[in-house]
Amino acid sequence: MRFCASLVLAAAALSACAPAPQGLRNAETPISSAVAFDPARFADVWHVVAAYGSEARCGPLTETWVRTGQAGYSVTGTRCGPMGARAFAETAAVSGPGRITRGEEQLWVLWVDADYRVAVIGTPSGQFARVLSRTPGVREDLMRAARDVLRFNGYDPAALSPV
């Protein structure tokens, strides 16, 4: 009996050292934000064209980013809730090169094409990533580039679904 109790305690101690769930990305892969990100060009309407998990099954989602100063935004739109798409309104602030704090989330702009038509955003924790587009549809070459960026940053692009 004493041996079993010791074995259970040892197993519990080892499980405490196990890595935490990694979310949508491989935590061992380095992640980088877009250093040349231009907050002024990011402002306006974005359509979520691809996402992970239940967000992809929620229906059309949009976000409108309005500048509220040099480093701030007012963000409104729709996001996926337990019963489908729901409206939201938040503030956001640029917190570093290609990094935006929105609510409790630290969003990293992983890539924006040269004309700011398509953007890829995610979180270092791997709990969130999506592809945004200025239009509800996105050109195949830009979508392929977005998937490549996700792969480069440790996300599994095969698990990405169109919205």
Side-chain angles (χ1 to χ4, degrees):
M1 186 64 127
R2 195 177 275 164
F3 175 75
C4 287
S6 297
L7 193 57
V8 168
L9 287 173
L14 284 175
S15 69
C17 296
Q22 298 175 16
L24 304 170
R25 65 178 294 277
N26 179 347
E28 295 177 11
T29 302
I31 186 171
S32 60
S33 60
V35 175
F37 172 73
D38 181 349
R41 292 185 72 193
F42 194 74
D44 208 353
V45 176
W46 289 100
H47 299 268
V48 180
V49 294
Y52 289 92
S54 62
E55 186 176 46
R57 295 182 292 277
C58 209
L61 303 172
T62 60
E63 299 181 353
T64 301
W65 293 68
V66 176
R67 293 291 300 265
T68 59
Q70 184 137 347
Y73 297 98
S74 171
V75 187
T76 58
T78 52
R79 69 166 45 124
C80 196
M83 302 297 286
R86 297 287 183 254
F88 76 91
E90 294 179 323
T91 58
V94 176
S95 53
R99 299 174 188 187
I100 301 169
T101 301
R102 183 172 80 178
E104 298 296 315
E105 295 178 302
Q106 179 68 246
L107 304 176
W108 284 25
V109 180
L110 305 177
W111 174 73
V112 179
D113 77 299
D115 295 322
Y116 278 68
R117 294 168 293 188
V118 175
V120 177
I121 60 174
T123 59
S125 69
Q127 298 302 311
F128 174 90
R130 56 170 47 164
V131 179
L132 305 174
S133 173
R134 295 294 186 178
T135 60
V138 61
R139 286 186 355 211
E140 185 53 39
D141 61 327
L142 293 173
M143 192 63 210
R144 191 171 32 257
R147 288 179 187 279
D148 288 344
V149 167
L150 287 164
R151 182 180 301 106
F152 180 81
N153 284 283
Y155 288 91
D156 178 7
L160 189 68
S161 299
V163 173

